[in-house]
Amino acid sequence: MARSIKKGPFIDGHLQKKIEDAQAQASKKVIKTWSRRSTIAPEAVGLTFAVHNGRKFVPVFVSENMVGHKLGEFAPTRTFHGHAGDKKGKGGTPTGAKPSQAPAAARK
């Protein structure tokens, strides 16, 4: 469920302070944060955040299209290695055929 318009977007106080400091100094320094729940504000466009994903910090460069989203959306916490059954058609024989049943052209 979305946050109420009356309340406004949620940004952790310590992160908001870091964003304001970076804007005041026109700094391109990476801002390290654990606050995955904070909403990206328009003031953060052009800044780079190092968002913690539970194991390491993932660099996230903020563009205009990211405004309104959460920082955690751009630092995935799980690594997808593919499905187990995808290795089916990678052998030298036709799919499902045993080497003894392969056509004569394939045995030569």
Side-chain angles (χ1 to χ4, degrees):
M1 183 158 56
R3 186 172 167 91
S4 126
I5 300 286
K6 179 178 73 170
K7 293 180 186 177
F10 175 80
I11 304 172
D12 270 326
H14 58 88
L15 186 61
Q16 182 67 34
K17 185 175 182 300
K18 288 180 183 180
I19 292 171
E20 291 169 0
D21 291 344
Q23 289 290 341
Q25 297 173 0
S27 169
K28 293 292 181 184
K29 194 174 180 183
V30 176
I31 300 171
K32 196 180 225 186
T33 184
W34 283 263
S35 179
R36 300 172 55 83
R37 63 188 181 169
S38 293
T39 305
I40 298 173
E43 299 87 39
V45 173
L47 296 176
T48 303
F49 293 92
V51 183
H52 197 255
N53 71 354
R55 184 168 57 111
K56 62 181 181 176
F57 287 92
V58 178
V60 176
F61 179 76
V62 177
S63 66
E64 288 184 23
N65 297 335
M66 296 179 177
V67 173
H69 291 268
K70 303 287 185 180
L71 278 173
E73 294 181 47
F74 304 102
T77 58
R78 295 179 175 97
T79 306
F80 179 70
H81 294 293
H83 295 290
D86 284 348
K87 299 175 184 168
K88 188 187 287 185
K90 293 188 180 178
T93 60
T95 310
K98 295 180 184 174
S100 61
Q101 296 174 342
R107 281 187 255 159
K108 291 183 182 179

